[in-house]
Amino acid sequence: AGEMFKKLELFKIDILKISTAGSELPILRALVDYLPQVRVVLIEYFTLQDKELLELLLSGFVKYGEDEFSAGRGVMRFRNP
């Protein structure tokens, strides 16, 4: 994912939505160097463990919303302060 951002020369990202049926964590890890350039992140989670790890990776962001679909599954919204 990070290689694609570099190839496309994406320097400023308004909204990053990651909804990949369980691969969100490795994708976000690959994009960690690009996160300072992202205004808003919308990200899905499928386990409570993934939710906690995603929150940790996005700890520099402000969480401003969450919709829980079922136990351990939902979508979180973050904004860059």
Side-chain angles (χ1 to χ4, degrees):
E3 291 176 24
M4 183 59 71
F5 275 42
K6 188 175 183 177
K7 182 178 179 179
L8 295 173
E9 298 181 7
L10 297 175
F11 302 111
K12 197 74 168 160
I13 301 151
D14 289 322
I15 299 173
L16 175 63
K17 180 182 179 188
I18 304 175
S19 176
T20 55
S23 296
E24 291 78 10
L25 198 52
I27 290 171
L28 189 62
R29 282 185 178 136
L31 296 175
V32 74
D33 292 338
Y34 294 89
L35 291 180
Q37 300 156 255
V38 178
R39 283 186 53 214
V40 174
V41 176
L42 309 172
I43 193 156
E44 209 169 11
Y45 61 90
F46 289 87
T47 68
L48 291 177
Q49 181 182 12
D50 279 357
K51 176 184 174 183
E52 291 172 5
L53 292 170
L54 291 167
E55 288 174 325
L56 184 63
L57 281 171
L58 292 166
S59 62
F61 283 67
V62 175
K63 184 176 173 183
Y64 72 90
E66 179 176 354
D67 296 315
E68 191 172 86
F69 305 129
S70 61
R73 183 172 181 263
V75 171
M76 296 182 287
R77 295 178 290 284
F78 295 85
R79 65 175 173 79
N80 207 338

